[in-house]
Amino acid sequence: MLTLDDVTVSKGTFQLRANLQVAPGLTAVIGPSGGGKSTLLASIAGFESAVTGRVIWDGDDLSCKEPGQRPVTMLFQDHNLFPHLTIAQNVGLALAPRLKLSVKQSAQVDAVLTDVGLPGLGGRKPAALSGGQIGRAALARCLLSDRPVVLLDEAFAALGPALRAEMLTLVRDRMAQQGRTVIMVTHDPNDARSFADQVLFVAEGVAHPPQKAAAFFDDPSPAAQSYLG
Ligand code: ADP
Ligand code: MG
């Protein structure tokens, strides 16, 4: 269980408050632009430190840990693949940070590239792939990582609807249903409705405790109602 215990994060004059728990499974983060969604993910990943409160994973206080020491893998919209490495090497970083892959690990990389629809493209550099293919390669790296908390910040926003649905299906089936805690910012409430177990609404600097997706959409709070329209 991921707990944000009375957390306050400051970014310039902006403040985000969160006092909530996130259960394993797929949690969609939605809310108006500028409300604090990315700040929430940054505080969990450790890119922003909490001014007050604690971030706790399974009883372990993460507050003073560097991003690399946290049980977290994060995917941004711009995907941050290394341009000088091949796709297979970029994906393999999830298994071997020094790029020395065993035969078994290389086979795992090939298999996950096939799963995301990139069979045989492991030898290419990112520049030789389309934007959509880069998104899939970045997702493949998260799929192979064994970190239990996965943060996706509008990672599929640039993809068309069909490809986005494919990626969300992989996230649900291969991450959330395997017991990982997946927290996914999306600007499309329909993605949340179709794929998420829970919805975490963020607006005006407050991250609200997650609700079951059905309950959130069937009986939205006034603030959520005005966002959903
Ligand atoms: P969201 O992801 O929901 O669109 P963000 O978490 O990115 O929102 O931003 C929350 C607020 O923080 C924004 O309203 C913005 O004004 C402020 N903000 C974002 N980045 C910075 C920054 N580098 N310096 C100061 N304020 C910032
Ligand atoms: Mg954002």
Side-chain angles (χ1 to χ4, degrees):
M1 187 74 93
L2 180 70
T3 302
L4 278 74
D5 176 22
D6 253 327
V7 165
T8 312
V9 192
S10 291
K11 216 179 191 182
T13 57
F14 177 79
Q15 269 210 339
L16 176 77
R17 285 183 290 128
N19 191 27
L20 53 84
Q21 290 197 311
V22 184
L26 183 52
T27 298
V29 178
I30 66 173
S33 182
K37 302 180 297 295
S38 294
T39 306
L40 174 72
L41 265 56
S43 72
I44 298 168
F47 299 117
E48 298 282 344
S49 335
V51 179
T52 64
R54 295 178 304 162
V55 177
I56 301 164
W57 169 251
D58 279 351
D60 188 12
D61 187 351
L62 305 182
S63 307
C64 294
K65 295 195 173 171
E66 295 295 317
Q69 297 178 307
R70 298 191 181 203
V72 173
T73 181
M74 183 157 178
L75 185 54
F76 301 94
Q77 195 176 332
D78 51 11
H79 301 311
N80 43 52
L81 294 185
F82 292 103
H84 60 290
L85 300 180
T86 65
I87 294 303
Q89 287 173 322
N90 268 288
V91 172
L93 285 173
L95 298 174
R98 299 211 177 119
L99 291 174
K100 289 229 158 53
L101 294 185
S102 66
V103 172
K104 180 170 167 239
Q105 287 172 325
S106 293
Q108 283 178 280
V109 169
D110 288 346
V112 78
L113 284 174
T114 299
D115 291 344
V116 299
L118 300 175
L121 298 190
R124 292 201 194 171
K125 299 270 175 72
L129 297 187
S130 70
Q133 290 173 322
I134 287 176
R136 296 193 227 180
L139 177 62
R141 186 167 66 195
C142 289
L143 283 168
L144 272 194
S145 143
D146 60 1
R147 309 249 175 132
V149 179
V150 183
L151 307 177
L152 306 170
D153 195 349
E154 304 205 40
F156 311 125
L159 305 182
L163 188 51
R164 205 162 83 235
E166 261 181 54
M167 296 299 103
L168 289 168
T169 302
L170 279 171
V171 167
R172 183 187 60 199
D173 296 352
R174 296 280 302 272
M175 294 176 167
Q177 288 181 358
Q178 307 301 317
R180 294 170 84 181
T181 297
V182 184
I183 305 177
M184 167 184 93
V185 177
T186 173
H187 65 267
D188 187 344
N190 286 325
D191 286 353
R193 201 192 278 272
S194 306
F195 289 94
D197 303 307
Q198 309 172 91
V199 176
L200 196 169
F201 184 64
V202 180
E204 296 181 7
V206 179
H208 297 272
Q211 281 180 273
K212 292 256 181 248
F216 177 86
F217 287 109
D218 291 347
D219 185 18
S221 68
Q225 179 73 68
S226 80
Y227 167 70
L228 293 168

